């Protein structure tokens, strides 16, 4: 595969990605798991649900303040719709020593996967392209000591 074919396939993926995410959002609406245009929940069984970031159009452009508002809105909608259920947000948890978290070293391959997914998340937020903010965020993520450990 030459470079032209790779660029064409990348372009097709960038164009198709929003439509796939929109279709997924429609499916989640029918299943009753759609909370707002940023978050959906997944049923884990045993009256437990997990919160996922799933923007309706695939890319999101929320600033930190707007993202936090959408997160609070999603949790409020979940609590109203599922009053007796438990919501887990493993991918959105903020842990610290104060909260008695345990740090476990990880191997390089797993760390590479975390860095790759972190970079992808940073690049999907269109607000990070203002003033080349994505470069600073990616540097900060790669220098972070937290990514060298799994926090339980």
């Amino acid at each position: 595969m030459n470079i032209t074919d790779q660029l064409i396939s990348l372009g097709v993926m960038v164009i198709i990605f929003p439509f796939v995410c929109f279709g997924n959002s429609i499916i989640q609406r029918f299943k009753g798991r759609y909370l707002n245009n940023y978050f959906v929940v997944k049923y884990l069984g045993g009256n437990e649900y997990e919160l996922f970031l799933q923007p309706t159009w695939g890319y999101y452009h929320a600033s930190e303040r707007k993202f936090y508002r959408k997160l609070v809105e999603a949790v409020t909608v979940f609590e109203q719709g599922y009053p007796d259920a438990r919501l887990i947000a493993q991918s959105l948890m903020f842990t610290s020593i104060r909260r008695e978290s345990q740090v476990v070293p990880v191997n390089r391959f797993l760390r590479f996967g975390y860095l790759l997914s972190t970079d992808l998340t940073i690049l999907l937020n269109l607000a990070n392209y203002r003033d080349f903010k994505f470069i600073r965020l990616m540097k900060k993520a790669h220098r972070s000591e937290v990514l060298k450990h799994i926090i339980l």
Side-chain angles (χ1 to χ4, degrees):
M1 217 172 159
N2 61 20
I3 196 92
T4 308
D5 293 338
Q6 289 176 350
L7 289 175
I8 290 172
S9 63
L10 179 65
V12 169
M13 286 175 43
V14 167
I15 293 169
I16 291 176
F17 183 65
F19 294 108
V20 170
C21 291
F22 182 70
N24 187 30
S25 294
I26 291 173
I27 292 168
Q28 297 302 331
R29 271 190 192 254
F30 285 125
K31 290 182 176 181
R33 297 180 183 160
Y34 179 87
L35 300 176
N36 60 21
N37 59 343
Y38 284 89
F39 294 98
V40 297
V41 291
K42 176 184 174 186
Y43 181 65
L44 297 176
N47 211 18
E48 287 187 350
Y49 292 84
E50 186 172 1
L51 185 67
F52 279 103
L53 174 65
Q54 173 65 56
T56 301
W57 289 105
Y59 306 104
Y60 65 103
H61 55 279
S63 62
E64 291 175 23
R65 191 174 290 164
K66 182 179 178 184
F67 182 80
Y68 181 73
R69 266 195 327 235
K70 289 291 187 177
L71 177 62
V72 170
E73 175 188 322
V75 171
T76 305
V77 169
F78 178 81
E79 288 174 348
Q80 291 171 352
Y82 304 90
D84 296 332
R86 185 173 139 193
L87 183 64
I88 299 170
Q90 294 176 357
S91 59
L92 299 170
M93 283 174 42
F94 299 102
T95 57
S96 65
I97 295 172
R98 239 185 10 201
R99 295 181 186 165
E100 299 176 5
S101 57
Q102 182 181 4
V103 178
V104 179
V106 298
N107 62 25
R108 289 182 184 173
F109 183 71
L110 192 56
R111 182 172 181 265
F112 174 75
Y114 286 140
L115 288 173
L116 192 63
S117 66
T118 301
D119 291 345
L120 181 63
T121 304
I122 289 170
L123 291 174
L124 285 176
N125 187 349
L126 300 179
N128 292 337
Y129 289 96
R130 286 187 213 122
D131 302 323
F132 297 102
K133 187 177 179 181
F134 69 95
I135 295 172
R136 289 191 311 272
L137 291 172
M138 289 170 78
K139 282 181 182 177
K140 187 176 181 180
H142 284 258
R143 281 183 274 162
S144 175
E145 290 294 319
V146 174
L147 288 175
K148 294 179 182 172
H149 303 82
I150 294 177
I151 301 177
L152 302 174

